[in-house]
Amino acid sequence: VDLISTGQLLKGIPCKEIQRMSSVSFIANFSLFERSFHLLSPLQMNCLAWKYWEVLHTTNTSIPPILLSVLPVEYVDNMPSTSCKSFLVALGRVDLDLLTVYAEKREAVVKKVLQCLREGVRDEYDVDTLGRLLCHLPPDTIRAHIAAPALSAALRQFRSCPRLSQEQKDAIKSKLAQLYGSPWEWSAELTQDLGLLVTLLSREEITAIANKYPEEVW
């Protein structure tokens, strides 16, 4: 438990040490854990979530959303809609792939995200709230439920998504066309601003842009 006194050392604390903490010590030091969520492994986060649940005899409405997301799927499924805002904000700041290694849990989290987004992604505020969660939206949601006022900000966020599926890429490309028109008509400035999203274009489209702006773009 002495390791708790220094934030960086939390990264190396084993699960058995978390489990052995007294209730008083855990409650007193939980804020240090909370500030260090980004340093902890999925296994450590899982142990922390169960300890929190055990010590505080908590409900789905009071446990920090990040910890809720690493508990079994039914805990996320039963989260009330009143917790949606804090759930989206908290998870939008972390990499979901690093938070849990199990695809079933990630799918449950994304399902809950979609339930919370009853009106879709409406504007830049929604994009900012979702943060990295945008990288996990299903292709159909990207195509149909990102409104025009949110589109520019959403595309900027998609540029930083490291593991998009081909289906997601195809959906994002359709949104590029919706906002900016045909790639054959894009300006050199726009092409540069889009960054890595340009790689979603076909070989013919990339070649056409390269020939049109040989010095400005490449």
Side-chain angles (χ1 to χ4, degrees), residues 133-217:
L133 285 172
L134 274 174
C135 300
H136 298 275
L137 293 183
D140 289 346
T141 300
I142 295 173
R143 291 180 188 275
H145 298 291
I146 298 180
L151 193 48
S152 180
L155 290 172
R156 287 195 298 272
Q157 180 65 40
F158 284 131
R159 288 187 304 189
S160 63
C161 296
R163 289 175 289 274
L164 294 169
S165 69
Q166 186 57 52
E167 292 77 13
Q168 286 176 305
K169 291 178 181 179
D170 292 342
I172 294 168
K173 182 181 176 182
S174 74
K175 303 305 283 189
L176 284 170
Q178 176 184 330
L179 185 61
Y180 299 119
S182 169
W184 304 88
E185 305 300 326
W186 289 357
S187 67
E189 181 181 6
L190 172 59
T191 306
Q192 291 173 329
D193 288 344
L194 291 176
L196 291 176
L197 291 181
V198 173
T199 63
L200 303 182
L201 303 180
S202 68
R203 180 179 301 178
E204 292 76 13
E205 290 167 333
I206 292 175
T207 299
I209 293 173
N211 290 335
K212 187 176 182 181
Y213 308 110
E215 296 181 1
E216 294 92 335
V217 176

Side-chain angles (χ1 to χ4, degrees), residues 10-21 26 30 33 37 40-56 58 63 66-72 99-100 102 105:
L10 287 175
K11 188 175 181 179
I13 190 170
C15 274
K16 64 181 180 181
E17 293 296 334
I18 296 174
Q19 293 163 351
R20 283 160 50 181
M21 292 177 71
F26 182 79
F30 181 74
F33 278 112
F37 282 161
L40 303 181
S41 71
L43 178 60
Q44 289 171 309
M45 291 292 287
N46 186 269
C47 293
L48 195 61
W50 282 117
K51 185 68 177 181
Y52 190 100
W53 197 273
E54 169 196 334
V55 168
L56 298 176
T58 190
I63 187 170
I66 290 180
L67 296 186
L68 178 64
S69 69
V70 301
L71 289 173
L99 186 61
T100 175
Y102 299 108
K105 286 188 180 181

Side-chain angles (χ1 to χ4, degrees), residues 68-69 71-78 87 91 96 100 102-115:
L68 178 64
S69 69
L71 289 173
V73 168
E74 56 266 26
Y75 288 78
V76 177
D77 289 343
N78 293 327
F87 182 75
L91 293 183
L96 192 57
T100 175
Y102 299 108
E104 183 184 11
K105 286 188 180 181
R106 289 197 298 270
E107 290 170 3
V109 170
V110 173
K111 179 182 176 181
K112 182 58 67 173
V113 168
L114 296 177
Q115 291 175 0

